[in-house]
Amino acid sequence: MTTTSAPAPATTTSLDAAISLRGVHKRYGAVRALDGLDLEIRPGEIVALLGPNGAGKSTAMEMMVGLATPDAGQVRIRGADPATATRTGLIGTMLQAGALLPDQTVRSMLRMLRSLQAHPMPLEEVIAQADVEDLMRRKLGALSGGQAQRVRFAIALLGDPQVLLLDEPTVGMDIAARRAFWSQMRGVAATGRTVVFATHHLEEAEHEAARVIVMDRGRVVADGTGPEISAVVAGRVITLRGAAPAHIAALPGVESAEADETDPRRVRALCADSDAALAALFTGPLAADVHEVLVSAPGLEEAFLRITDHDAYHDTDHEGGRR
Ligand SMILES: Nc1ncnc2c1ncn2[C@@H]1O[C@H](COP(=O)(O)OP(=O)(O)OP(=O)(O)O)[C@@H](O)[C@H]1O
């Protein structure tokens, strides 16, 4: 795994690579959205892009389809420039900004956009691969957030692309819809396409991508498999209920303790010595109140927090995403 922003050794040339970004810089006023980004993605790879808000994920994806142009550096898609790759259907995208015309039906929108493609995928195949049969007669303006995402996925497939870019594809989907989406996506990826997706769901990155790239402040800060990136963090994680994070953080062997983001009454503690922490926990004053104590190996979440450990969420120079 690479955990530095230095360019990875080039194992492919930009001509062989599905996606190649070399030394890409992009500024928006005072904000450095991309700061010398180097990225090489091989054909057939399934890659998750992770990073805190404002890390530059969307900007990088916009560069890959020619929606944003670099101030410096080079972007190539299968050796072609991004605008050509988009025009010829080499690359299909599901970006956050994609607006859907509210009064059109899904069928008419798909037909219309399909007619613009150089080498369109058969409509029946698009419908099956994106699982939108049940939505075909519906007006675009009447779709739920999750349904609209399925339609955006169908749109991304229309040009029968070799490279698929999905920017937070499961935003607005409930758990069942997310599961169904990833199962469809795996079917699409099994046909040999390159898939790059940005996500804030770490478990999606871990389960769905063979390679995880962590971006921060417009650069790559870690690149490897989920387990390789998780291995950045040694020690053990203890999760429990019934005590305040500050009390847990004060135990011997505990490096840090915080309330769980998704379940604030649960405390997650990263421990250099979990045996010492547990011994102190069960023999001290907290013993009567703590419950549901679990010990596990650190995962991608701990690694992500460790690797991107700064004030990115509040930093004025990198004040989060623009949406
Ligand atoms: N068109 C734009 N105009 C002004 N600033 C922009 C523009 N696009 C991006 N930025 C800024 O560039 C930085 C990177 O933004 P970007 O949306 O690429 O990050 P991200 O990693 O996709 O974030 P998020 O996870 O919040 O979507 C942010 O500080 C953002 O505010």
Side-chain angles (χ1 to χ4, degrees):
M1 184 196 64
T2 326
T3 50
T4 144
S5 56
T11 49
T12 48
T13 69
S14 62
L15 277 176
D16 302 327
I19 299 172
S20 161
L21 277 76
R22 297 255 164 105
V24 174
H25 289 261
K26 183 72 179 176
R27 263 185 176 279
Y28 290 106
V31 176
R32 238 179 286 135
L34 297 181
D35 190 15
L37 180 64
D38 287 297
L39 206 58
E40 199 89 15
I41 294 172
R42 293 169 288 274
E45 279 195 302
I46 301 180
V47 177
L49 270 188
L50 291 181
N53 291 131
K57 306 179 294 295
S58 298
T59 304
M61 288 190 153
E62 286 166 7
M63 296 266 168
M64 295 173 198
V65 291
L67 278 176
T69 44
D71 298 336
Q74 192 194 52
V75 184
R76 285 287 177 271
I77 310 298
R78 301 295 301 244
D81 73 89
T84 306
T86 304
R87 201 176 55 248
T88 56
L90 195 57
I91 193 162
T93 57
M94 186 173 166
L95 298 186
Q96 291 187 23
L100 301 174
L101 299 171
D103 291 331
Q104 279 205 22
T105 63
V106 173
R107 182 179 296 279
S108 66
M109 170 96 159
L110 289 180
R111 279 209 173 128
M112 190 267 287
L113 292 176
R114 185 174 173 277
S115 71
L116 303 176
Q117 303 297 328
H119 310 285
M121 183 185 281
L123 191 58
E124 292 316 310
E125 202 179 323
V126 172
I127 294 169
Q129 295 212 356
D131 191 23
V132 289
E133 180 65 59
D134 58 324
L135 304 176
M136 293 301 279
R137 289 159 189 265
R138 303 274 295 275
K139 288 238 168 95
L140 290 159
L143 300 177
S144 73
Q147 290 167 340
Q149 288 298 86
R150 270 200 277 155
V151 172
R152 289 196 175 94
F153 187 45
I155 293 170
L157 293 175
L158 286 171
D160 202 3
Q162 293 177 34
V163 179
L164 264 173
L165 287 187
L166 315 172
D167 194 359
E168 299 188 36
T170 57
V171 158
M173 292 186 186
D174 62 24
I175 292 173
R178 274 167 53 189
R179 285 215 179 117
F181 174 84
W182 287 115
S183 141
Q184 296 297 127
M185 205 285 296
R186 279 194 292 272
V188 171
T191 57
R193 292 169 222 270
T194 308
V195 179
V196 179
F197 64 94
T199 184
H200 284 288
H201 293 294
L202 271 58
E203 73 280 12
E204 285 187 347
E206 226 160 9
H207 290 148
E208 306 299 340
R211 180 177 169 198
V212 177
I213 294 175
V214 184
M215 284 182 65
D216 193 19
R217 301 175 187 249
R219 290 163 167 250
V220 172
V221 291
D223 184 349
T225 63
E228 280 171 351
I229 292 183
S230 301
V232 162
V233 185
R236 284 280 175 272
V237 174
I238 296 178
T239 61
L240 54 83
R241 292 181 193 276
H247 292 147
I248 299 301
L251 294 173
V254 175
E255 283 188 358
S256 61
E258 287 174 357
D260 192 295
E261 251 185 32
T262 54
D263 180 357
R265 282 192 295 177
R266 201 160 57 135
V267 178
R268 280 181 86 84
L270 185 59
C271 306
D273 183 348
S274 54
D275 292 339
L278 288 172
L281 184 65
F282 288 122
T283 56
L286 299 174
D289 296 320
V290 292
H291 54 283
E292 290 183 41
V293 180
L294 291 172
V295 182
S296 59
L300 202 50
E301 183 172 343
E302 276 71 31
F304 179 82
L305 292 171
R306 175 70 59 90
I307 292 165
T308 61
D309 184 19
H310 63 83
D311 292 338
Y313 290 93
H314 314 291
D315 190 334
T316 48
D317 191 37
H318 275 262
E319 76 287 5
R322 73 205 104 127
R323 285 163 288 270

